[in-house]
Amino acid sequence: MGKKVLVVDDDPDVRLFSVTVLEEHGYTPLEAANGEEGLKMIKEQKPDLIILDILMPRQSGIRLYRELKTDKSLKNIKVIILSGIAKKTFLRSQKALTEFGGKEVPEPKIYLEKPVEPDELAEAIKKYLG
Amino acid sequence: MDIKKLLFVTKFEELGFDALQSLLSLRKASLNHVVFVNVIERDRVAMHRGAGYLKEEEIRLRETANIRFIDWAEDLFEQGMEVGVYIVVGSLVSEVIKAAQKEETDLIVIGRSHKGVLEHLYSGSDITELLRRAEIPVLVYKQLSETAIAIEKPFERPLLAIDWSPASLSAVEYLKALKDVIQELDIIHVVGQKKLKGTSAMGIQAIRKDTRKKLEEICNIFESEGVKADAQVYIGEADEEIEKAAREHQASMIVLGSSGKTAWVERWLGSTPQSIAEKSIYPTLLIPFDQK
């Protein structure tokens, strides 16, 4: 069984796209439709990598990323952000949340703006998981 | 009751980002999460003779909405707010109620519907239906260009119209929680003409005095919370007098308790909250009776 990759995105078409790329490259995909569901699955399944959208119902990727990076048992799980929201916005948002009293969180190493080509996504995953 | 999470329902043409920005003063009352909802009415993409389900049209409408929401969300995210989004195909009111329940929002903001009189009469307006079904407060937002009144921040100078019903007393409690947002509050009661029929001049004065005294008691509640509040008594038709009071006191919004009458009663007999929500030029906040 390949390494587990959790795709957190509310758009079923994007999940299907990511899952297809993952399966083609021998990984085991998992899926969640929003941040809240994603966090639950992360705790239960402990995936090796998370492909995370930002703008979602229930809980956004911005808050989920913050929860991951400030949780001792989860902070080492690798994250690729895949979103229509600009990276600049993500960073400003994290800065604002830190200024409101939150902990400082590291920048995501890979931030892809939608839409991406399958090869681009596959390469990003490979960078993390080999 | 705090307003932490707000459901912003838009078809874009009637409610834009400027409307949302005017509501951001609610951050002083704990607002930190905005959920956008765009409902693609089923008729626009449903099975059409010879064309079937218009999947391409659905994709086009979804993506158009998505692009707008991404822009709006970026602005809010950068202010440290939390944002969510629903773009769904279905019937407006059902989808709004579903999203409000899923997200457990504290307030629904919706633009005024633009159906004609006959459509209102026979099918009921979306607003009426939403007011009937929503268990949380609903703000019916009115577009600035429509009113030509510069309403910067609706929650800053509200006018609360009280009829002493349990719902209007819920509205008092609701506004109390917004003390950090409200700058000035006018509280009014409209005495119906029927109540004055056959009453002497002294009797009318006594009704006014009693009503005013009761209103002053409500004002004192707000004054003790640090909100400047004034009481006024009006006489006449409720809808007209409330609108007049809002104009005279340069209100930024009208607040009413929503009776929760059944849809057919409201449709055939009418109700003040429904009428004001649909006809007034002012944003109208309707607070349902909090049974808790």
Side-chain angles (χ1 to χ4, degrees):
Chain A
M1 203 170 77
K3 288 184 174 168
K4 285 192 278 190
V5 180
L6 173 65
V7 181
V8 188
D9 200 307
D10 60 321
D11 185 340
D13 291 340
V14 175
R15 289 204 303 274
L16 179 63
F17 166 81
S18 300
V19 163
T20 308
V21 170
L22 288 165
E23 283 174 344
E24 276 180 3
H25 290 81
Y27 302 108
T28 304
L30 304 165
E31 290 179 60
N34 59 57
E36 207 175 71
E37 208 181 296
L39 186 62
K40 196 167 164 252
M41 284 193 81
I42 292 163
K43 287 179 177 166
E44 284 169 7
Q45 301 279 342
K46 293 274 160 53
D48 299 285
L49 173 69
I50 301 161
I51 299 175
L52 180 62
D53 184 24
I54 298 297
L55 189 53
M56 293 181 288
R58 296 296 299 167
Q59 187 185 34
S60 72
I62 285 179
R63 302 283 166 138
L64 176 56
Y65 183 82
R66 180 160 276 273
E67 287 209 34
L68 288 178
K69 295 301 165 189
T70 52
D71 184 315
K72 274 183 192 165
S73 63
L74 306 174
K75 69 178 182 187
N76 292 325
I77 297 177
K78 297 167 178 83
V79 179
I80 293 174
I81 307 279
L82 175 59
S83 176
I85 298 286
K87 184 179 181 184
K88 183 180 70 181
T89 296
F90 179 88
L91 298 178
R92 283 181 185 164
S93 164
Q94 294 295 0
K95 196 174 163 223
L97 291 171
T98 303
E99 281 167 4
F100 289 149
K103 281 186 187 169
E104 200 160 333
V105 293
E107 274 188 33
K109 288 202 177 85
I110 302 180
Y111 197 110
L112 303 174
E113 282 185 32
K114 286 178 185 172
V116 288
E117 293 297 324
D119 291 348
E120 198 182 345
L121 180 60
E123 191 152 320
I125 298 165
K126 213 171 155 189
K127 259 188 206 164
Y128 267 145
L129 298 182
Chain B
M1 184 185 167
D2 287 339
I3 304 180
K4 288 182 182 160
K5 210 180 209 187
L6 176 158
L7 196 76
F8 191 82
V9 185
T10 180
K11 291 178 183 171
F12 302 108
E13 66 262 30
E14 87 297 9
L15 206 54
F17 193 59
D18 52 341
L20 179 64
Q21 278 174 317
S22 75
L23 298 171
L24 292 185
S25 60
L26 286 173
R27 292 194 76 183
K28 289 184 210 154
S30 316
L31 178 71
N32 70 356
H33 195 153
V34 175
V35 181
F36 296 122
V37 177
N38 174 249
V39 180
I40 301 166
E41 297 280 351
R42 206 173 271 123
D43 302 358
R44 297 188 69 173
V45 291
M47 304 300 280
H48 287 256
R49 189 186 289 266
Y53 185 80
L54 306 178
K55 186 69 187 167
E56 278 182 22
E57 179 65 359
E58 184 199 321
I59 292 170
R60 191 186 66 78
L61 292 169
R62 270 182 191 279
E63 287 313 306
T64 307
N66 194 32
I67 286 168
R68 295 292 292 278
F69 284 153
I70 285 174
D71 278 348
W72 296 4
E74 285 187 337
D75 201 296
L76 298 181
F77 275 137
E78 290 188 12
Q79 296 178 48
M81 293 187 72
E82 174 70 324
V83 190
V85 67
Y86 287 81
I87 303 169
V88 286
V89 177
S91 108
L92 179 73
V93 176
S94 298
E95 295 302 332
V96 169
I97 296 289
K98 239 189 268 175
Q101 284 169 347
K102 264 193 219 166
E103 293 283 340
E104 298 168 84
T105 53
D106 304 306
L107 174 68
I108 297 170
V109 180
I110 189 165
R112 191 202 324 240
S113 69
H114 292 285
K115 283 184 178 176
V117 175
L118 280 178
E119 280 168 289
H120 278 170
L121 190 59
Y122 290 107
S123 67
S125 77
D126 291 334
I127 299 290
T128 307
E129 180 70 3
L130 184 62
L131 296 179
R132 189 177 67 81
R133 291 176 58 185
E135 290 172 350
I136 58 170
V138 176
L139 171 61
V140 182
Y141 202 98
K142 314 293 166 61
Q143 216 173 21
L144 295 184
S145 58
E146 190 183 346
T147 63
I149 294 170
I151 298 166
E152 294 258 305
K153 292 170 183 166
F155 284 84
E156 280 189 355
R157 290 180 56 91
L159 178 129
L160 170 62
I162 284 189
D163 64 0
W164 313 114
S165 66
S168 69
L169 299 176
S170 286
V172 171
E173 289 305 309
Y174 192 81
L175 289 182
K176 253 169 68 184
L178 300 176
K179 60 180 181 182
D180 295 331
V181 187
I182 298 171
Q183 288 181 354
E184 203 174 325
L185 175 67
D186 284 292
I187 305 174
I188 69 154
H189 174 71
V190 181
V191 180
Q193 295 281 11
K194 269 189 203 163
K195 204 177 169 188
L196 302 180
K197 221 172 186 181
T199 314
S200 66
M202 285 282 274
I204 293 172
Q205 287 300 327
I207 288 172
R208 181 186 175 273
K209 191 176 167 186
D210 282 353
T211 308
R212 197 174 164 95
K213 194 175 164 210
K214 279 166 81 182
L215 288 175
E216 288 293 354
E217 282 168 17
I218 307 264
C219 284
N220 290 341
I221 295 172
F222 285 98
E223 296 273 358
S224 67
E225 298 283 344
V227 177
K228 186 174 179 287
D230 287 316
Q232 314 287 337
V233 180
Y234 283 75
I235 292 167
E237 286 297 318
D239 309 12
E240 290 169 17
E241 296 303 313
I242 291 170
E243 190 79 3
K244 192 196 288 175
R247 197 169 52 242
E248 286 178 356
H249 296 282
Q250 295 173 311
S252 54
M253 173 173 77
I254 294 170
V255 185
L256 299 150
S258 172
S259 65
K261 284 180 194 168
T262 56
W264 74 267
V265 171
E266 297 215 326
R267 200 172 303 162
W268 296 106
L269 301 180
S271 85
T272 301
Q274 177 208 322
S275 170
I276 290 179
E278 292 192 349
K279 294 178 196 152
S280 169
I281 61 168
Y282 294 91
T284 309
L285 176 64
L286 295 128
I287 318 281
F289 171 48
D290 183 1
Q291 294 181 9
K292 280 177 259 170

